[in-house]
Coordinates of all heavy atoms in Angstrom, one line a residue:
M1 N -1.9 -4.6 34.4 CA -2.9 -3.9 33.5 C -2.2 -3.9 32.1 O -1.1 -3.5 31.9 CB -3.1 -2.5 34.0 CG -4.0 -1.8 33.0 SD -4.6 -0.2 33.6 CE -3.2 0.7 33.7
K2 N -3.0 -4.4 31.1 CA -2.5 -4.3 29.7 C -3.3 -3.4 28.9 O -4.5 -3.4 29.2 CB -2.5 -5.7 29.1 CG -1.6 -6.7 29.7 CD -1.7 -8.1 29.0 CE -0.9 -9.1 29.7 NZ -0.9 -10.4 29.0
R3 N -2.8 -2.8 27.9 CA -3.5 -1.9 27.0 C -3.5 -2.5 25.6 O -2.5 -3.0 25.2 CB -2.9 -0.5 27.0 CG -2.9 0.2 28.3 CD -2.4 1.5 28.2 NE -1.3 1.8 27.4 CZ -0.9 2.9 26.9 NH1 -1.5 4.1 27.2 NH2 0.3 3.0 26.1
K4 N -4.6 -2.5 25.0 CA -4.8 -2.9 23.6 C -5.1 -1.7 22.7 O -6.2 -1.0 23.1 CB -5.8 -4.1 23.5 CG -6.0 -4.5 22.1 CD -7.1 -5.6 22.1 CE -7.4 -6.0 20.7 NZ -8.6 -6.8 20.6
K5 N -4.4 -1.4 21.7 CA -4.7 -0.3 20.8 C -6.1 -0.6 20.1 O -6.3 -1.7 19.6 CB -3.6 -0.1 19.8 CG -3.8 1.0 18.9 CD -2.5 1.3 18.1 CE -2.6 2.5 17.2 NZ -3.4 3.6 17.4
I6 N -6.9 0.4 19.9 CA -8.2 0.2 19.3 C -7.9 0.5 17.7 O -7.4 1.6 17.4 CB -9.2 1.2 19.7 CG1 -9.5 1.0 21.2 CG2 -10.4 1.2 18.9 CD1 -10.4 2.0 21.8
G59 N -3.8 7.9 19.3 CA -4.6 6.6 19.3 C -5.2 6.3 20.7 O -4.8 6.9 21.7
M60 N -6.3 5.6 20.6 CA -7.0 5.3 21.8 C -6.8 3.8 22.2 O -6.4 3.0 21.3 CB -8.6 5.5 21.6 CG -8.9 6.9 21.3 SD -8.6 8.0 22.5 CE -9.7 7.6 23.8
Y61 N -6.8 3.5 23.4 CA -6.5 2.1 23.9 C -7.7 1.6 24.8 O -8.4 2.5 25.4 CB -5.2 2.2 24.7 CG -4.1 2.5 23.9 CD1 -3.7 3.7 23.7 CD2 -3.3 1.5 23.4 CE1 -2.6 4.1 23.0 CE2 -2.2 1.8 22.6 CZ -1.7 3.0 22.4 OH -0.7 3.4 21.7
E62 N -7.9 0.3 24.8 CA -8.8 -0.2 25.8 C -8.0 -1.0 26.8 O -7.0 -1.6 26.5 CB -9.8 -1.1 25.2 CG -9.3 -2.2 24.4 CD -10.5 -3.0 23.6 OE1 -11.7 -2.5 23.8 OE2 -10.2 -3.8 22.8
I63 N -8.4 -1.1 28.0 CA -7.7 -1.8 29.1 C -8.2 -3.2 29.1 O -9.4 -3.5 29.2 CB -7.9 -1.2 30.5 CG1 -7.3 0.3 30.4 CG2 -7.3 -1.9 31.6 CD1 -7.6 1.0 31.7
E64 N -7.3 -4.2 29.0 CA -7.6 -5.5 29.1 C -7.4 -6.0 30.6 O -6.3 -5.8 31.2 CB -6.6 -6.4 28.3 CG -6.9 -6.2 26.8 CD -6.0 -7.0 25.9 OE1 -5.0 -7.6 26.5 OE2 -6.4 -7.2 24.8
E65 N -8.4 -6.5 31.2 CA -8.3 -7.0 32.6 C -7.4 -8.2 32.7 O -7.5 -9.2 31.8 CB -9.8 -7.4 33.0 CG -10.7 -6.2 33.0 CD -10.4 -5.3 34.1 OE1 -9.9 -5.6 35.2 OE2 -10.8 -4.0 33.8
D66 N -6.7 -8.3 33.7 CA -5.9 -9.5 34.1 C -6.2 -10.0 35.4 O -6.8 -9.3 36.2 CB -4.4 -9.2 33.9 CG -3.9 -8.2 34.7 OD1 -4.7 -7.4 35.2 OD2 -2.7 -7.9 34.8

Side-chain angles (χ1 to χ4, degrees):
M1 174 173 68
K2 294 181 182 179
R3 298 185 317 164
K4 178 182 173 189
K5 185 169 176 31
I6 298 175
M60 299 298 287
Y61 295 87
E62 60 186 354
I63 297 173
E64 293 183 342
E65 298 288 330
D66 55 350

